[in-house]
C-alpha cells in the first residue's frame, strides 16, 4: 500500500515510520503540508495517489484549546472534514485520530465505540465535532481511532513531552512529588498503537467508523507513575492527590477507560499497559547507559 502520513514528527507519526513494513510511505513535514491548507492537501493527494491517508495531526494542548477554541476547531474539525472530503473524492481510505476526552467520565466501566459521547471541555468538543464532520462527509471511507494517554519516544512537542518522560524528569529533580489519583485512564504506547493501526488498515474486514485502540487494563495517573518509578527502581516517593477531576482549571473525565470492542472482534488487541510501559522504559532508559547513569536508582 502507498500511505500518505500527516504528522511525521509526532509521537504516533514517528512510531509508524519506525515500523518495518512493506508499505510505501510518503511523509511530508508540516512545512511541506499543513493540514489547515485544504488546497495543498488536495494537491498532495492528487500528486501521490495514496491508498491510505493517515492523519496524526491535532491541536491537543488542552489549555490552548480553552483559550483559542477557533484554533482547536480549525485543526481538529474543519481540517479533518476537508481531508475526509478530499479522500472520498479521490477514493482514498482516510484514517484519523480522536480521544477518550469525547466522554464525560460518568461511567465506571470501559467506554465502547457505541457509548454516547458528551465531552466536558473545548478539546473534547472539537474532537467530537471532527468525528461527526468526517463521518458526515465520508462515512464509507473514514476510520476514526480514539486513543488515550499516548506516550512515544519523540514526546508530543505541543504538550511539553510525554507523561512518562516528564515523570522521570520529576524523579531527577525531586525526592518526592504529588500525582493525581482521581482519573482512571488507559495509558497507551505510541508504538503499540502504531502496530495496531497498521493491523487494522491491513485487515480485509476493517469496515469504517469509530474504533477504540488502547493498551489493555486501566490505572490512575498515580498508579501509572508508581509503576514508572518501580520498573526503573528510582529512589523517589510519589504521593497520591485528589484534584476532584480538575486540572489546570479544566474539567477532565474522572473515568475514560476505552474498550477495544471492534478491533478485538477482528483479532486485534494491544498488550497490557504494564507490558507496554516496561518495553518503553527498557528501550528508552535501560538500554541507554548515559540516560541510566543520570537516574537516581535505589541502592
Ligand atoms: N498524546 C496523547 O496523550 C493523546 C491522547 C489521545 C489522543 N491522541 C491523538 O492521537 C493522535 C496522535 O497524537 P501524538 O501524541 O502523536 O501527537 P503529536 O506528538 O503532538 O504529533 C502531532 C503531529 O502533527 C503535526 N501537526 C500539528 N499541526 C499540524 C498541521 N496544522 N499541519 C500538519 N501537521 C501538523 C505535528 O507537527 P509539529 O511537530 O511540526 O508541530 C506533529 O508531527 C492525535 O490526533 C492526538 O490528538 C493523543
Amino acid at each position: 500500500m502507498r500511505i500518505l502520513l500527516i504528522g511525521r514528527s509526532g509521537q504516533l507519526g514517528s512510531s509508524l515510520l519506525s515500523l518495518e513494513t512493506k508499505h510505501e510511505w510518503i511523509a511530508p513535514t508540516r512545512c511541506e503540508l499543513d493540514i489547515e491548507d485544504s488546497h495543498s492537501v488536495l494537491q498532495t493527494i492528487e500528486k501521490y495517489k495514496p491508498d491510505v491517508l493517515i492523519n496524526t495531526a491535532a491541536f491537543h494542548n488542552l489549555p490552548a484549546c480553552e483559550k483559542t477554541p477557533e484554533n482547536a476547531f480549525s485543526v481538529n474539525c474543519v481540517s479533518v472534514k476537508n481531508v475526509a472530503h478530499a479522500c472520498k473524492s479521490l477514493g482514498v481510505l482516510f484514517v484519523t485520530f480522536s480521544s477518550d476526552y469525547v466522554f464525560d467520565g460518568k461511567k465506571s466501566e470501559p467506554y465502547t465505540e457505541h457509548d454516547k459521547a458528551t465531552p466536558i471541555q473545548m478539546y473534547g468538543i472539537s474532537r467530537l465535532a471532527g468525528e461527526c464532520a468526517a463521518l458526515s462527509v465520508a462515512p464509507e471511507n473514514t476510520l476514526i481511532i480514539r486513543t488515550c494517554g499516548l506516550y512515544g519516544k519523540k514526546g508530543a512537542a505541543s504538550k511539553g513531552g510525554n507523561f512518562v518522560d516528564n515523570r522521570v524528569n520529576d524523579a531527577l529533580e525531586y525526592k518526592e512529588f504529588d500525582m493525581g489519583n482521581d482519573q482512571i485512564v488507559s495509558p497507551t504506547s505510541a508504538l503499540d498503537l502504531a502496530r495496531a493501526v497498521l493491523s487494522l488498515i491491513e485487515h480485509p474486514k476493517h469496515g469504517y467508523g469509530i474504533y477504540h485502540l488502547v493498551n489493555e487494563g486501566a490505572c490512575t495517573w498515580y498508579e501509572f507513575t508508581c509503576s514508572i518509578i518501580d520498573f526503573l527502581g528510582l529512589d523517589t516517593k510519589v504521593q497520591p492527590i485528589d484534584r476532584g477531576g480538575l486540572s489546570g482549571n479544566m474539567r477532565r473525565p474522572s473515568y475514560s477507560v476505552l474498550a477495544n470492542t471492534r478491533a478485538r472482534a477482528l483479532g486485534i488487541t494491544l498488550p497490557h499497559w504494564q507490558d507496554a510501559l516496561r518495553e518503553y522504559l527498557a528501550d528508552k532508559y535501560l538500554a541507554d547507559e548515559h540516560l541510566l547513569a543520570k537516574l537516581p536508582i535505589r541502592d
Side-chain angles (χ1 to χ4, degrees), residues 14-127:
S14 58
S15 299
L16 282 162
L17 292 176
S18 75
L19 297 176
E20 270 185 38
T21 69
K22 291 190 182 132
H23 304 303
E24 180 191 349
W25 292 88
I26 298 137
T29 62
R30 183 175 179 169
C31 295
E32 291 163 341
L33 181 61
D34 191 314
I35 198 175
E36 292 181 87
D37 181 347
S38 58
H39 182 64
S40 172
V41 170
L42 188 61
Q43 274 187 332
T44 308
I45 301 175
E46 279 171 341
K47 179 174 172 191
Y48 292 108
K49 301 186 173 36
D51 302 293
V52 183
L53 187 154
I54 300 181
N55 168 39
T56 72
F59 193 88
H60 57 165
N61 178 308
L62 266 73
C65 291
E66 293 295 318
K67 224 171 163 184
T68 58
E70 61 279 18
N71 292 339
F73 273 83
S74 173
V75 177
N76 298 340
C77 176
V78 179
S79 300
V80 167
K81 187 207 102 192
N82 290 339
V83 182
H85 189 264
C87 285
K88 185 187 173 192
S89 65
L90 297 167
V92 177
L93 173 66
F94 178 44
V95 181
T96 192
F97 293 83
S98 183
S99 165
D100 55 319
Y101 273 43
V102 297
F103 295 114
D104 61 12
K106 289 191 178 147
K107 256 186 108 175
S108 51
E109 57 189 57
Y111 282 96
T112 76
E113 293 87 348
H114 306 290
D115 279 315
K116 190 168 178 239
T118 45
I120 53 176
Q121 69 311 98
M122 289 318 296
Y123 170 61
I125 294 167
S126 73
R127 298 300 332 221

Side-chain angles (χ1 to χ4, degrees), residues 1-15:
M1 273 192 282
R2 181 179 288 183
I3 303 177
L4 175 60
L5 172 69
I6 300 180
R8 66 169 300 148
S9 62
Q11 304 196 95
L12 179 58
S14 58
S15 299

Side-chain angles (χ1 to χ4, degrees), residues 110 224 247 288:
F224 191 57
S247 167
D288 184 329

